[in-house]
Amino acid sequence: MFKSITLLGVLASTVVATSYNLVDNFVGGSFLTGFNWEAIPDPTHGAVNYTDQAFAIAQNLTYTSSDTLILRADYTHVTNYPTGPGRNSVRIRSNKEYTTAVTILDLRHMPQGCATWPAFWTTLESDWPDNGEVDIIEGVNDVSPNQSTLHTTAGCTMVASTMSQTGTLVTTDCNTADNGNAGCGVQTTKASRPNYLPVILGGWYAMERTTSQINIWFWARDDTSVPADVSSGAASVVTSSWGLPVANFVSTNCNFDHFGPQNIIINLTLCGDWAGAVYPSTCPSTCTNYVNTEPAAFENAYIPIDSIDPSSPMQWDIAWLKVYE
């Protein structure tokens, strides 16, 4: 459990920093037992067909080794969405739910390119949006920067002057019923979106959730300021040593009763409500037609941890995921 609370008074708000101990360590094959591969219709109406674990492994959409989890979409078949199923892809959800916790993802690579909509986030699907949603990594169509966003029921807003962070608040109303469910989002000034990750070999994303704050950090692989307890995946972490977060969501204008127990979700959808709606003119054809007719565009070449190849595979390449309480 968490312990030894320290307070950092910065700007107009106070970042609550706590020491946490490791409770779950997912690496390689342990993802297969710790997560559920959700074979469900895409709630965001993407041109994908989410598959179960057995099918994903058989079709090489999921691959594990001692220190790697690969998640990707099919790149061999022409599809006919929406008349028929979309492109086979993956969406995984942790078996456990978490509340007050720190989650750290060591990420080598994430999907990128036209039509892609990768996300690393937390929610309780059976009680959405009443239990809230925290988007840690999210972006579409290879457009920078990364955006971290909260989605809630009515009565939760963010005000920039109350947030101690390095990122920029771009939307303030967290209510899913307003503004097309844009949520309240913070964009990072760091190069954290996938078009940059191949060059710097990924990095670490962290989210701390307490009863009054939700903090999100990102450190690139070549960032010399990354805390040692983060980069090493230590047995305990102390968030007070991590510096200002990219996003500091606070309870000043948002009762954190909006957030209940949540699962961790990692997925790759294509087109859909967001990526399809803002599909850029610089990308080929229409979003759905591109996904249907260009399977080779989604081919995933594995890039090892010590590679400096700046190519852009459309896949999740995850070293580990750790949860601390």
Side-chain angles (χ1 to χ4, degrees):
M1 294 296 293
F2 65 91
K3 58 184 180 181
S4 63
I5 294 178
T6 307
L7 299 181
L8 294 180
V10 185
L11 300 179
S13 68
T14 303
V15 176
V16 179
T18 307
S19 174
Y20 300 82
N21 296 322
L22 182 66
V23 294
D24 286 306
N25 180 26
F26 303 103
V27 58
S30 63
F31 279 96
L32 301 178
T33 54
F35 280 72
N36 174 48
W37 269 240
E38 296 190 282
I40 61 172
D42 181 13
T44 61
H45 311 105
V48 295
N49 177 51
Y50 287 133
T51 71
D52 62 29
Q53 185 184 106
F55 184 92
I57 292 173
Q59 296 296 312
N60 204 28
L61 308 182
T62 294
Y63 164 80
T64 62
S65 68
S66 61
D67 63 352
T68 299
L69 170 68
I70 299 292
L71 303 171
R72 53 192 167 197
D74 168 75
Y75 57 94
T76 60
H77 298 91
V78 172
T79 56
N80 191 31
Y81 180 86
T83 304
R87 185 162 301 285
N88 289 329
S89 189
V90 288
R91 174 183 171 117
I92 67 173
R93 183 194 68 205
S94 66
N95 294 330
K96 287 181 61 176
E97 300 165 3
Y98 303 94
T99 51
T100 297
V102 170
T103 303
I104 304 176
L105 179 72
D106 184 339
L107 179 64
R108 300 185 180 109
H109 211 291
M110 64 189 292
Q112 69 175 102
C114 295
T116 58
W117 181 358
F120 167 48
W121 53 298
T122 64
T123 194
L124 185 66
E125 294 169 318
S126 62
D127 197 21
W128 186 93
D130 290 349
N131 257 38
E133 173 183 332
V134 182
D135 299 329
I136 303 168
I137 307 174
E138 190 172 31
V140 296
N141 297 314
D142 204 18
V143 176
S144 293
N146 180 61
Q147 182 165 310
S148 300
T149 307
L150 304 185
H151 300 269
T152 68
T153 51
C156 179
T157 60
M158 292 294 141
V159 178
S161 62
T162 66
M163 303 167 73
S164 301
Q165 60 190 22
T166 62
T168 301
L169 181 67
V170 293
T171 52
T172 61
D173 188 352
C174 311
N175 186 3
T176 59
D178 294 338
N179 306 315
N181 188 24
C184 47
V186 172
Q187 292 183 348
T188 176
T189 56
K190 292 186 175 182
S192 58
R193 277 286 292 138
N195 56 344
Y196 186 63
L197 291 185
V199 179
I200 49 84
L201 308 178
W204 297 268
Y205 292 82
M207 187 264 283
E208 177 187 35
R209 180 180 157 192
T210 75
T211 57
S212 61
Q213 304 195 38
I214 296 173
N215 298 310
I216 296 172
W217 290 264
F218 169 73
W219 299 272
R221 190 78 57 189
D222 60 355
D223 188 342
T224 57
S225 71
V226 58
D229 52 357
V230 171
S231 60
S232 67
S236 62
V237 294
V238 181
T239 55
S240 57
S241 67
W242 291 3
L244 281 181
V246 168
N248 169 225
F249 299 105
V250 295
S251 59
T252 307
N253 296 286
C254 178
N255 189 322
F256 269 32
D257 287 345
H258 282 92
F259 300 94
Q262 297 183 349
N263 301 98
I264 300 166
I265 300 175
I266 303 172
N267 69 282
L268 170 58
T269 191
L270 304 170
C271 301
D273 295 340
W274 186 11
V278 297
Y279 188 71
S281 60
T282 53
C283 287
S285 185
T286 65
C287 192
T288 299
N289 187 65
Y290 179 63
V291 171
N292 281 338
T293 62
E294 300 292 338
F298 299 90
E299 185 171 1
N300 304 313
Y302 175 70
I303 292 184
I305 187 64
D306 57 354
S307 170
I308 57 172
D309 182 352
S311 60
S312 306
M314 293 188 184
Q315 66 180 23
W316 289 98
D317 183 345
I318 297 168
W320 49 257
L321 171 66
K322 297 176 186 284
V323 182
Y324 300 79
E325 292 181 340

